[in-house]
Amino acid sequence: KEKVEITKEQQALMKIITDAYNRHQIPQDVAKKLLQDQYSAEENFLLLTEMATSQVQVLVEFTKNIPGFLSLDREDQIALLKGSAVEAMFLRSAQVFSRKMPSGHTEVLEERIRKSGISEEFITPMFNFYKSIGELHMVQEEQALLTTVTILTPDRPYVKDQQAVERLQETMLDVLRKLCVLQHPQEPQYFARLLGRLTELRTLSHYHTEMLASWRMN
Ligand SMILES: Cc1cc(Cl)ccc1OCc1nc2ccc(F)cc2n1[C@H](C(=O)NC1CCCCC1)C1CCCCC1
């Protein structure tokens, strides 16, 4: 049985990324806001655009802390951010939704989101994704690395030097793989399940334009 060991460098890399991930978080208040009041479809749409806008700014700040990201071609940096912004939003939404909340809060939050104005047809795939992320019970290092792996996807549109992005992503995947083995020793398939979520995430993100266009305004 091969002994899995995270090296000193990988430990340092993980700390930089996790600290940056925790530092660059939009105020958790979106869940609190939704739990406090029931908003109209128009207000919810506005709330989403505000959250999305601040999330993009947070994402830019976060990527500056990914070792090697700023050494990439500048246009490629922009292509990676544009290509991963929506996925990062759904991933963040899933993590916010799956957070431990006082009993009954998750149900209220789910209800508010179901009634927010999002079209029925998108609600099921969205919550299926949220639940599959929740079932993983990711530690924060895994959440930070998963977001980093998503950002460092080489085959985003307009990326010129895909090799350079691939090398960075592989560095992060190696740390994430070891972390998964160490955190979930009784579940050897955990890392594979985690990466499988990224496929679900990409599919969900394909719907985002339609989700916005079909928002049910009164
Ligand atoms: C990300 C996204 C894209 C599209 Cl097209 C449609 C929908 C959507 O998020 C749904 C969604 N899933 C959620 C789960 C937990 C939660 F607390 C809020 C959630 N939201 C929306 C939200 O504020 N998301 C932001 C979360 C932080 C990071 C940036 C995004 C609220 C907007 C107000 C109406 C109720 C849904």
Side-chain angles (χ1 to χ4, degrees), residues 8-205:
K8 282 263 161 290
E9 298 80 27
Q10 290 178 320
Q11 197 77 40
L13 181 72
M14 196 159 53
K15 182 162 174 26
I16 291 168
I17 285 173
T18 308
D19 290 350
Y21 187 72
N22 291 333
R23 217 177 24 254
H24 297 301
Q25 286 310 341
I26 55 172
Q28 300 294 341
D29 65 356
V30 60
K32 240 199 329 276
K33 258 178 119 95
L34 290 168
L35 286 165
Q36 254 155 10
D37 293 312
Q38 186 114 11
Y39 297 101
S40 71
E42 286 80 1
E43 286 165 333
N44 278 322
F45 193 84
L46 191 67
L47 179 58
L48 172 60
T49 49
E50 284 162 11
M51 297 318 295
T53 307
S54 64
Q55 172 72 11
V56 166
Q57 287 153 3
V58 154
L59 196 69
V60 170
E61 284 316 304
F62 170 63
T63 51
K64 287 177 182 169
N65 296 277
I66 299 172
F69 186 83
L70 295 178
S71 318
L72 294 171
D73 173 281
R74 282 190 85 60
E75 283 168 11
D76 285 354
Q77 291 177 33
I78 293 163
L80 292 177
L81 277 163
K82 285 178 79 166
S84 64
V86 174
E87 287 179 23
M89 259 178 252
F90 277 118
L91 197 47
R92 183 80 197 124
S93 298
Q95 286 157 1
V96 171
F97 185 77
S98 315
R99 255 194 352 239
K100 190 89 194 79
M101 280 185 263
S103 81
H105 284 215
T106 303
E107 290 70 18
V108 171
L109 184 58
E110 176 160 351
E111 195 48 29
R112 292 272 157 89
I113 295 168
R114 283 181 182 282
K115 299 263 179 298
S116 62
I118 298 176
S119 276
E120 275 307 304
E121 66 191 292
F122 302 118
I123 291 285
T124 307
M126 194 171 80
F127 279 109
N128 286 347
F129 176 68
Y130 291 176
K131 297 209 165 112
S132 65
I133 286 287
E135 279 157 15
L136 289 168
H137 301 293
M138 277 187 270
V139 296
Q140 56 176 359
E141 290 82 356
E142 287 166 336
Q143 290 188 14
L145 283 166
L146 193 64
T147 299
T148 304
V149 164
T150 304
I151 295 163
L152 297 173
T153 301
D155 62 347
R156 297 293 187 196
Y158 314 115
V159 171
K160 296 171 294 189
D161 188 352
Q162 291 202 2
Q163 254 77 20
V165 181
E166 206 155 339
R167 271 195 303 275
L168 267 187
Q169 190 190 46
E170 268 154 26
T171 308
M172 305 301 162
L173 281 168
D174 191 39
V175 186
L176 183 55
R177 180 181 54 78
K178 290 182 177 179
L179 185 65
C180 288
V181 170
L182 294 172
Q183 288 286 340
H184 312 269
Q186 76 290 6
E187 206 187 333
Q189 293 315 315
Y190 185 89
F191 179 58
R193 273 178 69 201
L194 202 50
L195 296 188
R197 299 284 76 84
L198 295 185
T199 312
E200 210 180 331
L201 176 60
R202 194 176 282 210
T203 309
L204 184 66
S205 303

